[in-house]
Amino acid sequence: MHDPIRPGRRGFLQASALGALASFIPAESEAATKPASAAVFPPSTLASQPFQVLPAGSIRPTGWLKRQLEIQAAGLGGRVDETWPDLGANSGWLGGNGESWERGPYFVDGLLPLAWQLDSPELKAKAQRFIEWTLENPWPNGMFGPKSNDDWWPRMVMLKVLTQYQELTGDARVVPFMTRYFHYQLGALPGRPLRDWGRMRWQDEVASILWLYSRTQDPKLLELAALLKKQGYDWQAMYVNYPFKEKTDAKLVEAKNKNAFMEDDGLQVHGVNVAQALKASPVWSLISRSADDRAAIHHQLEQLDRYHGLPNGMFSGDEHLAGRSPSQGIELCAVVEAMYSLETALAITGDAVLGDRIERIAYNALPAAFTDDMWAHQYDQQPNQVECSLHRRPWTTNGPEANLFGLDPHFGCCTANFHQGWPKLTASLWMACADGGLAAAVYAPCHVSTMARGVPIEIEQETDYPFRDDVAITLRPASPVSFPVRLRLPGWCRAPSVKVNGETVKASAGAGFVTVDRQWSAGDRIELSFPADVVTETGFNDSVSFSRGALVFSLPVGEAWVKWRKRGLTNDWQVYPTSSWNYAAGAPGKVEQYAIGPRPFAGATPAVTLAVRGRLVAWKAEEGAADPVPAKPVPEDEPYTTLRLVPYAGAKLRITSFPKLASR
């Protein structure tokens, strides 16, 4: 849970302190007044990176992905401010005296790219209100935001907003505004150091600092980055001899909280902090130039998978790291923050395996946390989720509302923060390469407008991936141009196929990326095929789960939706099971494909299904939560049957990790 820090901890530096730094504020340049058209890579004073996310607005969704973003815009993603006072006209980030901490910045961090990706004047206007107030109301000393608090953390989020906004619009106010703030902070941090959330999330601000440094080369920015890291929590050190191998002891965390606000013992095992920190080592590696820093994310993911991994691509965290049982949950904030961290890390490291992880989370855990119309969401989701009710469940520290579907179940941070998930995935589908090429990093239908070695180029990516195996890419450069195209080969695919204008290009399974370096002309076409096998994965207590490509499959449990309370334009819901769920599962069988409906992940109209052999076993629920998967299930006196599994996100009540069915 996120609790705002109360203002008044320490005074600010005098406004005159900024004067000594004013000479470093760059003059407006032509580049700073136009929307960005090409990716900006780090200058030579930083480590090189193989990929760079394209400027905001370069990629627009098409196909099923556009429909998904339209669903978000028509639901809470575009209208939450109309029904939730925390983001309404009285928000502190609009000059009011309402919520003035993280929720306004969280909301705009996703609303802004969504608005431009859908080219929605209405959503653009909503985002612009927050941005205009922020840019037009700086404090005299360079600080910004509501004056009711001086916490560093919510400013870190708004800085992410401003970097995107500048790329989208070229607004000349952004670069000097950010520069003044960073200079102020450099002087203020020694007397008012990072604490609490800001101390754990320093890497998010360093990413914004490096964005600005790549445009101004202001040396003070690297000083500030070093100070933030020094004051911030050392995430990389935590994983050297990883101590958190069991479900978090809630009583220990609560006891610590009586004396201090969730100091390290609570904050370092807080699921959202852990998700945000996945980018810490890669981001810092741009400054340190350390190969160990750049590679550290892989060890961190391995440790999280080993001790807290869930079959949906995430780790447990409800609110704190919770072990491997699939009856534990993971917070929606952690899902979208893990995606953003991995997208950032993929650009910095160029490691294709991170693309596999992004897809697993994005195509399973992300849509699973919402009703199909995205008018209600969960705070926590469980891979084995057999009831969504007001019971307490086996959470580490969360409360009874945590897995309800609604406006702001348990706590409102996810209501404000979920918006970034789909738009930032869209923004990361293609990336620029340091050698002037382009990389297909994550697969979904989209249209790309960018530059390749100085030549404008349009790319149309047509696909029903991950529901289907094929991707077609048509390139249309303004004039013929030679450059490399790098195509990610999903790690799960044993026989990838790549063709350019009908001619086969050698592509080896496990290679990460295949590079096609040639002269490209308008109409050139790349055809990819990623045949996917059904994979049986072994997890907690020797349980089994099933995946095919990027999709995880679950047994849908019958759902009875009961309205708990009206919440303005939406409702809070409890969901109760209407069918048996206590099955063991054996070998997978037939895969069947169906049309992708207007709601791509809807459980009532699954795009693909998987048959597995199953049998009822002795397995019960307590307090609305399935007991841990029995390692040696005792069969009920019922015959074997065929279970029809659907993509994980479509089953709001589900079993994903099954006891292993004993051989006959």
Side-chain angles (χ1 to χ4, degrees), residues 436-463:
L438 295 169
V442 175
Y443 293 107
C446 65
H447 182 91
V448 185
S449 299
T450 188
M451 306 284 288
R453 293 189 172 165
V455 176
I457 184 170
E458 305 288 320
I459 299 173
E460 195 72 38
Q461 182 162 290
E462 299 171 282
T463 183

PDB file of all heavy atoms in Angstrom, residues 436-463:
ATOM      1  N   GLY A 436      21.869   2.372 -36.808  1.00  0.00           N
ATOM      2  CA  GLY A 436      20.963   2.968 -37.775  1.00  0.00           C
ATOM      3  C   GLY A 436      19.859   2.053 -38.245  1.00  0.00           C
ATOM      4  O   GLY A 436      19.021   2.456 -39.053  1.00  0.00           O
ATOM      5  N   GLY A 437      19.837   0.835 -37.745  1.00  0.00           N
ATOM      6  CA  GLY A 437      18.798  -0.105 -38.121  1.00  0.00           C
ATOM      7  C   GLY A 437      17.578  -0.008 -37.231  1.00  0.00           C
ATOM      8  O   GLY A 437      17.430   0.915 -36.414  1.00  0.00           O
ATOM      9  N   LEU A 438      16.691  -0.981 -37.384  1.00  0.00           N
ATOM     10  CA  LEU A 438      15.470  -1.071 -36.599  1.00  0.00           C
ATOM     11  C   LEU A 438      15.295  -2.496 -36.111  1.00  0.00           C
ATOM     12  O   LEU A 438      15.715  -3.449 -36.775  1.00  0.00           O
ATOM     13  CB  LEU A 438      14.257  -0.653 -37.443  1.00  0.00           C
ATOM     14  CG  LEU A 438      14.228   0.806 -37.907  1.00  0.00           C
ATOM     15  CD1 LEU A 438      13.126   1.005 -38.946  1.00  0.00           C
ATOM     16  CD2 LEU A 438      14.022   1.748 -36.719  1.00  0.00           C
ATOM     17  N   ALA A 439      14.655  -2.632 -34.934  1.00  0.00           N
ATOM     18  CA  ALA A 439      14.479  -3.951 -34.331  1.00  0.00           C
ATOM     19  C   ALA A 439      13.026  -4.180 -33.978  1.00  0.00           C
ATOM     20  O   ALA A 439      12.379  -3.318 -33.360  1.00  0.00           O
ATOM     21  CB  ALA A 439      15.348  -4.091 -33.080  1.00  0.00           C
ATOM     22  N   ALA A 440      12.508  -5.338 -34.373  1.00  0.00           N
ATOM     23  CA  ALA A 440      11.194  -5.795 -33.932  1.00  0.00           C
ATOM     24  C   ALA A 440      11.400  -6.502 -32.606  1.00  0.00           C
ATOM     25  O   ALA A 440      11.904  -7.631 -32.551  1.00  0.00           O
ATOM     26  CB  ALA A 440      10.578  -6.732 -34.960  1.00  0.00           C
ATOM     27  N   ALA A 441      11.035  -5.831 -31.514  1.00  0.00           N
ATOM     28  CA  ALA A 441      11.373  -6.307 -30.174  1.00  0.00           C
ATOM     29  C   ALA A 441      10.274  -7.139 -29.539  1.00  0.00           C
ATOM     30  O   ALA A 441      10.536  -8.102 -28.820  1.00  0.00           O
ATOM     31  CB  ALA A 441      11.711  -5.117 -29.271  1.00  0.00           C
ATOM     32  N   VAL A 442       9.030  -6.742 -29.756  1.00  0.00           N
ATOM     33  CA  VAL A 442       7.860  -7.413 -29.187  1.00  0.00           C
ATOM     34  C   VAL A 442       6.813  -7.442 -30.298  1.00  0.00           C
ATOM     35  O   VAL A 442       6.716  -6.494 -31.091  1.00  0.00           O
ATOM     36  CB  VAL A 442       7.323  -6.654 -27.954  1.00  0.00           C
ATOM     37  CG1 VAL A 442       6.040  -7.284 -27.427  1.00  0.00           C
ATOM     38  CG2 VAL A 442       8.388  -6.627 -26.847  1.00  0.00           C
ATOM     39  N   TYR A 443       6.027  -8.505 -30.352  1.00  0.00           N
ATOM     40  CA  TYR A 443       5.120  -8.673 -31.487  1.00  0.00           C
ATOM     41  C   TYR A 443       3.669  -8.403 -31.122  1.00  0.00           C
ATOM     42  O   TYR A 443       3.121  -8.973 -30.178  1.00  0.00           O
ATOM     43  CB  TYR A 443       5.276 -10.072 -32.079  1.00  0.00           C
ATOM     44  CG  TYR A 443       6.629 -10.266 -32.723  1.00  0.00           C
ATOM     45  CD1 TYR A 443       7.601 -11.063 -32.117  1.00  0.00           C
ATOM     46  CD2 TYR A 443       6.949  -9.615 -33.911  1.00  0.00           C
ATOM     47  CE1 TYR A 443       8.854 -11.223 -32.694  1.00  0.00           C
ATOM     48  CE2 TYR A 443       8.195  -9.764 -34.492  1.00  0.00           C
ATOM     49  CZ  TYR A 443       9.151 -10.575 -33.886  1.00  0.00           C
ATOM     50  OH  TYR A 443      10.395 -10.715 -34.459  1.00  0.00           O
ATOM     51  N   ALA A 444       3.068  -7.507 -31.910  1.00  0.00           N
ATOM     52  CA  ALA A 444       1.653  -7.174 -31.850  1.00  0.00           C
ATOM     53  C   ALA A 444       1.372  -6.336 -33.093  1.00  0.00           C
ATOM     54  O   ALA A 444       2.297  -5.757 -33.685  1.00  0.00           O
ATOM     55  CB  ALA A 444       1.300  -6.396 -30.582  1.00  0.00           C
ATOM     56  N   PRO A 445       0.122  -6.233 -33.533  1.00  0.00           N
ATOM     57  CA  PRO A 445      -0.170  -5.459 -34.735  1.00  0.00           C
ATOM     58  C   PRO A 445       0.034  -3.964 -34.504  1.00  0.00           C
ATOM     59  O   PRO A 445      -0.429  -3.410 -33.501  1.00  0.00           O
ATOM     60  CB  PRO A 445      -1.636  -5.787 -35.025  1.00  0.00           C
ATOM     61  CG  PRO A 445      -2.197  -6.232 -33.709  1.00  0.00           C
ATOM     62  CD  PRO A 445      -1.079  -6.903 -32.992  1.00  0.00           C
ATOM     63  N   CYS A 446       0.736  -3.303 -35.438  1.00  0.00           N
ATOM     64  CA  CYS A 446       1.043  -1.889 -35.243  1.00  0.00           C
ATOM     65  C   CYS A 446       1.461  -1.249 -36.545  1.00  0.00           C
ATOM     66  O   CYS A 446       1.769  -1.927 -37.532  1.00  0.00           O
ATOM     67  CB  CYS A 446       2.143  -1.709 -34.196  1.00  0.00           C
ATOM     68  SG  CYS A 446       3.746  -2.397 -34.688  1.00  0.00           S
ATOM     69  N   HIS A 447       1.514   0.078 -36.528  1.00  0.00           N
ATOM     70  CA  HIS A 447       2.047   0.877 -37.622  1.00  0.00           C
ATOM     71  C   HIS A 447       3.150   1.758 -37.049  1.00  0.00           C
ATOM     72  O   HIS A 447       2.949   2.440 -36.038  1.00  0.00           O
ATOM     73  CB  HIS A 447       0.956   1.741 -38.253  1.00  0.00           C
ATOM     74  CG  HIS A 447       1.447   2.557 -39.415  1.00  0.00           C
ATOM     75  ND1 HIS A 447       1.407   2.100 -40.715  1.00  0.00           N
ATOM     76  CD2 HIS A 447       2.004   3.792 -39.474  1.00  0.00           C
ATOM     77  CE1 HIS A 447       1.914   3.012 -41.518  1.00  0.00           C
ATOM     78  NE2 HIS A 447       2.291   4.058 -40.791  1.00  0.00           N
ATOM     79  N   VAL A 448       4.315   1.770 -37.709  1.00  0.00           N
ATOM     80  CA  VAL A 448       5.489   2.498 -37.225  1.00  0.00           C
ATOM     81  C   VAL A 448       5.834   3.600 -38.215  1.00  0.00           C
ATOM     82  O   VAL A 448       5.897   3.365 -39.422  1.00  0.00           O
ATOM     83  CB  VAL A 448       6.696   1.548 -37.058  1.00  0.00           C
ATOM     84  CG1 VAL A 448       7.880   2.300 -36.441  1.00  0.00           C
ATOM     85  CG2 VAL A 448       6.328   0.332 -36.225  1.00  0.00           C
ATOM     86  N   SER A 449       6.058   4.800 -37.702  1.00  0.00           N
ATOM     87  CA  SER A 449       6.551   5.924 -38.505  1.00  0.00           C
ATOM     88  C   SER A 449       7.845   6.403 -37.866  1.00  0.00           C
ATOM     89  O   SER A 449       7.842   6.932 -36.748  1.00  0.00           O
ATOM     90  CB  SER A 449       5.532   7.070 -38.542  1.00  0.00           C
ATOM     91  OG  SER A 449       4.317   6.650 -39.123  1.00  0.00           O
ATOM     92  N   THR A 450       8.972   6.227 -38.579  1.00  0.00           N
ATOM     93  CA  THR A 450      10.251   6.569 -37.962  1.00  0.00           C
ATOM     94  C   THR A 450      11.273   6.898 -39.047  1.00  0.00           C
ATOM     95  O   THR A 450      10.917   7.177 -40.196  1.00  0.00           O
ATOM     96  CB  THR A 450      10.728   5.419 -37.049  1.00  0.00           C
ATOM     97  OG1 THR A 450      11.881   5.840 -36.325  1.00  0.00           O
ATOM     98  CG2 THR A 450      11.019   4.152 -37.821  1.00  0.00           C
ATOM     99  N   MET A 451      12.549   6.871 -38.666  1.00  0.00           N
ATOM    100  CA  MET A 451      13.645   7.147 -39.581  1.00  0.00           C
ATOM    101  C   MET A 451      14.600   5.951 -39.570  1.00  0.00           C
ATOM    102  O   MET A 451      14.806   5.318 -38.539  1.00  0.00           O
ATOM    103  CB  MET A 451      14.411   8.396 -39.151  1.00  0.00           C
ATOM    104  CG  MET A 451      13.558   9.640 -38.965  1.00  0.00           C
ATOM    105  SD  MET A 451      13.063  10.396 -40.510  1.00  0.00           S
ATOM    106  CE  MET A 451      14.627  11.094 -41.054  1.00  0.00           C
ATOM    107  N   ALA A 452      15.183   5.677 -40.731  1.00  0.00           N
ATOM    108  CA  ALA A 452      16.234   4.664 -40.829  1.00  0.00           C
ATOM    109  C   ALA A 452      17.372   5.265 -41.640  1.00  0.00           C
ATOM    110  O   ALA A 452      17.213   5.529 -42.842  1.00  0.00           O
ATOM    111  CB  ALA A 452      15.710   3.391 -41.487  1.00  0.00           C
ATOM    112  N   ARG A 453      18.476   5.536 -40.970  1.00  0.00           N
ATOM    113  CA  ARG A 453      19.643   6.168 -41.599  1.00  0.00           C
ATOM    114  C   ARG A 453      19.249   7.418 -42.385  1.00  0.00           C
ATOM    115  O   ARG A 453      19.636   7.627 -43.527  1.00  0.00           O
ATOM    116  CB  ARG A 453      20.388   5.163 -42.461  1.00  0.00           C
ATOM    117  CG  ARG A 453      21.034   4.074 -41.598  1.00  0.00           C
ATOM    118  CD  ARG A 453      21.964   3.167 -42.333  1.00  0.00           C
ATOM    119  NE  ARG A 453      22.661   2.299 -41.372  1.00  0.00           N
ATOM    120  CZ  ARG A 453      23.333   1.199 -41.697  1.00  0.00           C
ATOM    121  NH1 ARG A 453      23.413   0.831 -42.967  1.00  0.00           N
ATOM    122  NH2 ARG A 453      23.930   0.482 -40.766  1.00  0.00           N
ATOM    123  N   GLY A 454      18.414   8.231 -41.718  1.00  0.00           N
ATOM    124  CA  GLY A 454      18.045   9.518 -42.260  1.00  0.00           C
ATOM    125  C   GLY A 454      16.887   9.504 -43.223  1.00  0.00           C
ATOM    126  O   GLY A 454      16.457  10.581 -43.675  1.00  0.00           O
ATOM    127  N   VAL A 455      16.356   8.345 -43.539  1.00  0.00           N
ATOM    128  CA  VAL A 455      15.254   8.245 -44.499  1.00  0.00           C
ATOM    129  C   VAL A 455      13.959   7.944 -43.754  1.00  0.00           C
ATOM    130  O   VAL A 455      13.901   6.989 -42.975  1.00  0.00           O
ATOM    131  CB  VAL A 455      15.535   7.136 -45.540  1.00  0.00           C
ATOM    132  CG1 VAL A 455      14.336   6.963 -46.473  1.00  0.00           C
ATOM    133  CG2 VAL A 455      16.793   7.462 -46.336  1.00  0.00           C
ATOM    134  N   PRO A 456      12.909   8.736 -43.979  1.00  0.00           N
ATOM    135  CA  PRO A 456      11.625   8.413 -43.346  1.00  0.00           C
ATOM    136  C   PRO A 456      11.122   7.054 -43.830  1.00  0.00           C
ATOM    137  O   PRO A 456      11.275   6.698 -45.009  1.00  0.00           O
ATOM    138  CB  PRO A 456      10.704   9.545 -43.816  1.00  0.00           C
ATOM    139  CG  PRO A 456      11.618  10.653 -44.225  1.00  0.00           C
ATOM    140  CD  PRO A 456      12.848   9.985 -44.759  1.00  0.00           C
ATOM    141  N   ILE A 457      10.512   6.314 -42.911  1.00  0.00           N
ATOM    142  CA  ILE A 457      10.029   4.982 -43.267  1.00  0.00           C
ATOM    143  C   ILE A 457       8.743   4.683 -42.502  1.00  0.00           C
ATOM    144  O   ILE A 457       8.585   5.077 -41.337  1.00  0.00           O
ATOM    145  CB  ILE A 457      11.096   3.896 -42.975  1.00  0.00           C
ATOM    146  CG1 ILE A 457      10.622   2.512 -43.451  1.00  0.00           C
ATOM    147  CG2 ILE A 457      11.473   3.866 -41.504  1.00  0.00           C
ATOM    148  CD1 ILE A 457      11.720   1.460 -43.415  1.00  0.00           C
ATOM    149  N   GLU A 458       7.825   4.019 -43.178  1.00  0.00           N
ATOM    150  CA  GLU A 458       6.599   3.517 -42.577  1.00  0.00           C
ATOM    151  C   GLU A 458       6.678   1.989 -42.560  1.00  0.00           C
ATOM    152  O   GLU A 458       7.114   1.375 -43.542  1.00  0.00           O
ATOM    153  CB  GLU A 458       5.370   3.958 -43.377  1.00  0.00           C
ATOM    154  CG  GLU A 458       5.242   5.458 -43.585  1.00  0.00           C
ATOM    155  CD  GLU A 458       4.850   6.193 -42.323  1.00  0.00           C
ATOM    156  OE1 GLU A 458       3.995   5.668 -41.576  1.00  0.00           O
ATOM    157  OE2 GLU A 458       5.393   7.292 -42.079  1.00  0.00           O
ATOM    158  N   ILE A 459       6.255   1.400 -41.458  1.00  0.00           N
ATOM    159  CA  ILE A 459       6.252  -0.060 -41.327  1.00  0.00           C
ATOM    160  C   ILE A 459       4.864  -0.493 -40.888  1.00  0.00           C
ATOM    161  O   ILE A 459       4.317   0.047 -39.916  1.00  0.00           O
ATOM    162  CB  ILE A 459       7.300  -0.540 -40.308  1.00  0.00           C
ATOM    163  CG1 ILE A 459       8.708  -0.132 -40.735  1.00  0.00           C
ATOM    164  CG2 ILE A 459       7.216  -2.055 -40.116  1.00  0.00           C
ATOM    165  CD1 ILE A 459       9.771  -0.429 -39.700  1.00  0.00           C
ATOM    166  N   GLU A 460       4.310  -1.450 -41.599  1.00  0.00           N
ATOM    167  CA  GLU A 460       3.021  -2.024 -41.234  1.00  0.00           C
ATOM    168  C   GLU A 460       3.258  -3.440 -40.742  1.00  0.00           C
ATOM    169  O   GLU A 460       3.794  -4.282 -41.471  1.00  0.00           O
ATOM    170  CB  GLU A 460       2.082  -2.043 -42.441  1.00  0.00           C
ATOM    171  CG  GLU A 460       0.636  -2.282 -42.076  1.00  0.00           C
ATOM    172  CD  GLU A 460      -0.006  -1.080 -41.390  1.00  0.00           C
ATOM    173  OE1 GLU A 460       0.291   0.069 -41.791  1.00  0.00           O
ATOM    174  OE2 GLU A 460      -0.797  -1.291 -40.454  1.00  0.00           O
ATOM    175  N   GLN A 461       2.917  -3.690 -39.480  1.00  0.00           N
ATOM    176  CA  GLN A 461       3.078  -5.029 -38.898  1.00  0.00           C
ATOM    177  C   GLN A 461       1.694  -5.627 -38.687  1.00  0.00           C
ATOM    178  O   GLN A 461       0.941  -5.177 -37.831  1.00  0.00           O
ATOM    179  CB  GLN A 461       3.849  -4.962 -37.575  1.00  0.00           C
ATOM    180  CG  GLN A 461       4.100  -6.322 -36.940  1.00  0.00           C
ATOM    181  CD  GLN A 461       5.204  -6.270 -35.904  1.00  0.00           C
ATOM    182  OE1 GLN A 461       6.381  -6.107 -36.244  1.00  0.00           O
ATOM    183  NE2 GLN A 461       4.849  -6.391 -34.642  1.00  0.00           N
ATOM    184  N   GLU A 462       1.366  -6.625 -39.498  1.00  0.00           N
ATOM    185  CA  GLU A 462       0.057  -7.258 -39.451  1.00  0.00           C
ATOM    186  C   GLU A 462       0.192  -8.628 -38.795  1.00  0.00           C
ATOM    187  O   GLU A 462       0.980  -9.463 -39.250  1.00  0.00           O
ATOM    188  CB  GLU A 462      -0.507  -7.411 -40.861  1.00  0.00           C
ATOM    189  CG  GLU A 462      -0.698  -6.088 -41.595  1.00  0.00           C
ATOM    190  CD  GLU A 462      -1.050  -6.287 -43.044  1.00  0.00           C
ATOM    191  OE1 GLU A 462      -0.125  -6.579 -43.836  1.00  0.00           O
ATOM    192  OE2 GLU A 462      -2.241  -6.170 -43.381  1.00  0.00           O
ATOM    193  N   THR A 463      -0.594  -8.847 -37.747  1.00  0.00           N
ATOM    194  CA  THR A 463      -0.494 -10.122 -37.048  1.00  0.00           C
ATOM    195  C   THR A 463      -1.636 -10.279 -36.058  1.00  0.00           C
ATOM    196  O   THR A 463      -2.190  -9.284 -35.568  1.00  0.00           O
ATOM    197  CB  THR A 463       0.854 -10.229 -36.294  1.00  0.00           C
ATOM    198  OG1 THR A 463       0.950 -11.516 -35.691  1.00  0.00           O
ATOM    199  CG2 THR A 463       0.979  -9.163 -35.209  1.00  0.00           C
TER     200      THR A 463
END
